[in-house]
Amino acid sequence: MEAPGTTDPKLRLKGVAKAFTAPRTLKRTLAVTGVDLAVEAGEFICIVGPSGCGKSTVMNMIAGLDMPSSGTIEINGVPVAGPGADRGVMFQDYALFPWLTVEENIGFGLRNGTPGNGLSRGEVEARVREHVELVQLAGSETKYPHQLSGGMRQRVALARLLANGPDVLLMDEPLGALDAQTRLILQTELLRIWGETAPQAARKTAVFITHDIEEAVFLADRVVVMSRHPGRVRAVIPVDLARPRDEHIRATPRFGQLSEEIWGLIRAEAYEAIA
Amino acid sequence: MSDGLAGALAPRPEPRWATPARGAALPLLLLAAWQAWATTQPDITRAPSPVQVAATFVRLTASGDLPVSLLQSLGRVLGGFAAALVLGIVLGIAMGTSRTVRAAVEPIVESFRPVAPMAVLPIAILWFGTGTPAALSIVGYAAFFPLLLNTVHGVSQVDRTLLQAARTMGVPRLRILRKVVLPASLPSILLGARLALGVAWTAIIAAELAVGAKSGGGGSGGIGAMMFVFYAYSIDLNGIVACMIVIGLVALAIDRLFRGLERRLTPWRH
């Protein structure tokens, strides 16, 4: 018999809905509804869907930055009551602090937030150092974000996310602003850093939002396809591609099939969205 | 032929003094014209001339009158500015972060803001007399509004995702205020401070002139009062123009100094 706590998935969304009320007209719009999802520890989940399907809303609710209008979100069986450093967030525009250097940005949570609790000054410094090196930014520690390329900023954001040691990684289109080549390189790097070569128990739990179907297939264990008006889960597609994955997997027939299948689920709404 | 064309298009090398010389030409010409006009006038106290202004400036500096008055005025500006700085930033942050505070305070601020510092002077004199406290209160009043408004603007413009990022890293609220809100609004606060120093300097001169009129000159001190003495007692425009130039140069120096300070305090913006 397992203890009750251990049977809970890492992250569970039960009947989650979110309605927003426009401040002037008081008109309520349903952003997402009926979202059910269970994510196991160490799993990499990608959420794809047309714009306006509520992907970011779902992520904000998992982060605790927004509260569901109904339904519950649980981490290890405990309802989410607000933001916490157990769930690290990487924002679409990276949200780096422009007045802090690369090194200070990466160490911000350790020096100012709960992730630094119980760590000595030396331990904090060592951990910051380690993450600067993990994302290959040694030599750029004293630069400010505006002095960095898009790819380097993305690495700073990733290092800051990981330095805080979260259990769950929440990433909102973190590669969206990069050029196509840089994206491909960073996708592979992201899998390495997430722990692809490690056993599943040693991996982080990741929820990654993207509008790029091939990116989702390349990264994910399961792809959650959302549809809009209102936002809800259309399908959950398991990605049965072996890990560790490398560039060549994009050329396999199975990769193409999965991409095609997901595109088939989104196509109609994607056309609607631009009409 | 082609040589001639290339020669015409290529920028000709210029000696290093060329640009400053061009910039100085017109002012020098105007000074000469002013001097020429002044020498045609019978009364040198009513027709100030560059030479007389310079002589007066040297005399006032040597006697110590000008440096003492200047320091007195500057001290008042700094005192009033410091009070406005603390009050403006604290209230500005409160208004920028709390809708309740903003809703409560904004109508009061907005109804006082159009009232020029000089319009408050009569009350200041009646309450505080003609000395330093009155001057301080006018300077503080003048400097307060640019500081407050720019702080409120800066704080309410802070990028929401930066605040969210800090919250997801488990940073406590007060620390977010100090480590995110304050630095994010610092450029705006510094802009407010620079504008505030400018109006504070303008206000102190006007206040000292007016207080000089009330107290009969000497008593209140400061460079504005010195001007009043030149105006009402010595009736010497040379002294007034010398003071005007000093006031202008001080304002310029304050502005330059502050821009330098802004660059040092916000290195990420340059």
Side-chain angles (χ1 to χ4, degrees), chain A residues 91-241:
Chain A
F91 294 86
Q92 207 167 351
D93 55 2
Y94 311 144
L96 299 178
F97 302 108
W99 57 89
L100 298 181
T101 62
V102 165
E103 196 269 349
E104 290 165 336
N105 262 292
I106 294 173
F108 187 85
L110 289 167
R111 290 174 187 138
N112 297 294
T114 46
N117 289 355
L119 293 182
S120 74
R121 223 189 170 79
E123 284 166 330
V124 166
E125 298 315 311
R127 198 141 139 199
V128 174
R129 181 79 241 149
E130 175 196 326
H131 284 88
V132 167
E133 276 157 18
L134 179 72
V135 295
Q136 292 151 17
L137 278 169
S140 301
E141 293 94 333
T142 57
K143 287 189 176 147
Y144 288 103
H146 79 270
Q147 298 170 305
L148 305 176
S149 69
M152 285 167 91
R153 266 179 238 166
Q154 194 275 341
R155 285 160 199 260
V156 177
L158 183 61
R160 183 177 70 179
L161 171 70
L162 296 168
N164 294 326
D167 278 352
V168 179
L169 309 175
L170 304 172
M171 294 175 274
D172 189 358
E173 301 199 24
L175 308 178
L178 303 174
D179 64 83
Q181 290 90 329
T182 312
R183 282 181 85 125
L184 293 186
I185 294 166
L186 290 179
Q187 283 167 12
T188 314
E189 200 170 312
L190 186 64
L191 286 182
R192 168 180 71 84
I193 289 168
W194 164 65
E196 191 177 47
T197 51
Q200 181 162 355
R203 293 174 190 163
K204 305 269 185 193
T205 308
V207 178
F208 185 105
I209 289 173
T210 178
H211 56 256
D212 181 338
I213 293 166
E214 299 197 345
E215 180 169 275
V217 173
F218 183 75
L219 294 172
D221 292 316
R222 284 188 295 155
V223 177
V224 175
V225 182
M226 289 187 68
S227 60
R228 52 190 208 127
H229 295 315
R232 59 196 182 280
V233 175
R234 176 88 182 262
V236 179
I237 313 287
V239 178
D240 47 9
L241 299 169

Side-chain angles (χ1 to χ4, degrees), chain B residues 122-138:
Chain B
I123 298 182
I125 292 178
L126 284 176
W127 281 356
F128 304 119
T130 54
T132 296
L136 280 180
S137 62
I138 291 302

Side-chain angles (χ1 to χ4, degrees), chain A residues 217-218 220-221 238-243 245 249 252-255 258:
Chain A
V217 173
F218 183 75
D221 292 316
V239 178
D240 47 9
L241 299 169
R243 293 192 188 273
R245 298 172 188 166
I249 209 152
T252 61
R254 185 64 189 140
F255 189 92
L258 286 164

Side-chain angles (χ1 to χ4, degrees), chain B residues 135 151 234:
Chain B
T151 304
S234 358

Side-chain angles (χ1 to χ4, degrees), chain B residues 32-191:
Chain B
W34 174 17
Q35 181 68 39
W37 166 80
T39 45
T40 65
Q41 301 297 309
D43 183 353
I44 61 161
T45 60
R46 291 196 170 242
S49 71
V51 171
Q52 284 300 317
V53 167
T56 309
F57 173 77
V58 170
R59 182 165 51 79
L60 289 174
T61 308
S63 71
D65 288 348
L66 184 61
V68 167
S69 300
L70 192 59
L71 282 178
Q72 200 166 9
S73 296
L74 278 174
R76 289 167 175 167
V77 164
L78 286 183
F81 173 75
L85 190 73
V86 174
L87 217 68
I89 292 179
V90 169
L91 189 60
I93 288 177
M95 283 173 73
T97 49
S98 157
R99 272 191 215 170
T100 317
V101 175
R102 187 165 181 170
V105 178
E106 203 157 57
I108 306 172
V109 170
E110 285 304 312
S111 48
F112 271 102
R113 194 160 68 97
V115 181
M118 283 316 100
V120 191
L121 191 62
I123 298 182
I125 292 178
L126 284 176
W127 281 356
F128 304 119
T130 54
T132 296
L136 280 180
S137 62
I138 291 302
V139 169
Y141 177 84
F144 174 70
F145 292 99
L147 267 163
L148 177 78
L149 297 177
N150 281 285
T151 304
V152 172
H153 176 78
V155 170
S156 49
Q157 294 289 104
V158 175
D159 184 355
R160 249 174 60 90
T161 56
L162 294 183
L163 301 174
Q164 293 186 329
R167 290 175 64 205
T168 61
M169 290 186 254
V171 183
R173 286 212 172 258
L174 263 175
R175 214 168 163 86
I176 290 180
L177 207 61
R178 203 154 61 79
K179 291 288 180 175
V180 182
V181 175
L182 208 56
S185 40
L186 189 61
S188 212
I189 294 176
L190 286 174
L191 172 68

